Structures are given as structure tokens and as C-alpha cells.
Amino acid sequence: MPAYLIVHPREQHRDDVHIEDPDLTLTFEAGWAVLTDSEGVCLAIPSGQGASIQRVDEPQEPAPTKE
């Protein structure tokens, strides 16, 4: 499941945001980072804001090895 961590610069005094949604898609359009789902735009962040967006999916269990 895609999950994203949005971290704002400390001087902006904003809370970091962790978003999990299996239907999210991240695109970049005209200087904006845009998160959308089947209903449309969920969140748009301007590039000049200085926020960073990291994909932070849950680690997958490794497949069992055959002996």
C-alpha cells in the first residue's frame, strides 16, 4: 500500500503528515506535487513551499527460501 510522509521545513511550524491510501497517486504538475485518488485531488503542495515528500511503504516480508 502506498504511504507518503510529507515533511515541512521547521521554520514553517507545520506538522508533518503521514498519508496511507491504496488508491493514492503522486504526480508533479506545473510546480505542484499532487496526490490524487479515484475521487480526484486530495492534496496539492507548491514546490516553493520547501516540503519534502517521501514514499514510506511498509516493508514486505521476504519470501521463504527453499532448502
Side-chain angles (χ1 to χ4, degrees), residues 19 21 23-25 33-45:
I19 301 171
D21 188 328
D23 298 323
L24 280 181
T25 302
V34 181
L35 287 162
T36 57
D37 65 9
S38 60
E39 299 292 320
V41 174
C42 300
L43 178 66
I45 302 171

Side-chain angles (χ1 to χ4, degrees), residues 6-38:
I6 302 169
V7 179
H8 298 280
R10 294 293 149 221
E11 62 273 3
Q12 290 183 2
H13 304 289
R14 294 183 182 208
D15 292 333
D16 297 340
V17 179
H18 184 257
I19 301 171
E20 289 185 44
D21 188 328
D23 298 323
L24 280 181
T25 302
L26 175 63
T27 58
F28 299 94
E29 301 174 24
W32 290 79
V34 181
L35 287 162
T36 57
D37 65 9
S38 60

Side-chain angles (χ1 to χ4, degrees), residues 58-66:
E58 292 291 323
Q60 299 293 322
E61 292 288 325
T65 58
K66 294 182 180 180

